[in-house]
Amino acid sequence: VQLQASGGGLVQPGGSLRLSCAASGFSLDGFDIGWFRQAPGKKREGVSYIKSTGGSTVSADSVKGRFTVSRDNSKNTVYLQMNNLKPEDTATYYCAADPRITLSSEPDYLWGKGTLVTVSS
């Protein structure tokens, strides 16, 4: 049972990346999936999450209008499309699964290993 985040890399300011969070050993059905990030020297913070049913999403103010979270249950994968990236988006990004996620607390059920996003010219 694991989550694997991928898709990070180096991108210039204003660029885009799409992160993927693939589940193995279990189905993402029934779980909220969240994206969190931790910048060097800072606490981990919630970025966006998508509900298990209905597909509604919630994003932090800092990424609203730039980041979009989506899920493809047929592929057992959740995505984070990040557009208009800024240097302050530089962080290690993690995905997490939990029956109920909020951006203000750390999920308990399952975390994936992070993927590093660096926004720099």
Side-chain angles (χ1 to χ4, degrees):
V1 175
Q2 66 177 359
L3 292 171
Q4 180 63 56
S6 62
L10 174 63
V11 63
Q12 292 187 341
S16 298
L17 281 175
R18 188 177 79 159
L19 305 184
S20 298
C21 175
S24 59
F26 75 108
S27 173
L28 289 179
D29 287 353
F31 290 95
D32 293 355
I33 306 298
W35 287 96
F36 296 77
R37 67 185 181 186
Q38 186 167 24
K42 295 189 177 181
K43 290 179 59 177
R44 188 156 56 188
E45 62 177 357
V47 176
S48 298
Y49 72 88
I50 186 165
K51 298 289 288 181
S52 59
T53 56
S56 61
T57 63
V58 175
S59 292
D61 288 345
S62 59
V63 305
K64 278 181 182 176
R66 301 188 298 122
F67 291 12
T68 303
V69 59
S70 62
R71 64 192 299 157
D72 186 340
N73 286 347
S74 68
K75 296 183 178 179
N76 221 22
T77 301
V78 170
Y79 304 98
L80 184 67
Q81 178 67 43
M82 306 186 295
N83 298 326
N84 191 21
L85 282 160
K86 304 176 180 180
E88 52 263 41
D89 295 319
T90 295
T92 298
Y93 285 71
Y94 302 86
C95 58
D98 197 272
R100 183 176 179 273
I101 284 181
T102 69
L103 295 183
S104 58
S105 61
E106 295 262 304
D108 292 326
Y109 182 71
L110 184 65
W111 285 86
K113 293 183 179 179
T115 184
L116 178 62
V117 172
T118 302
V119 185
S120 175
S121 55

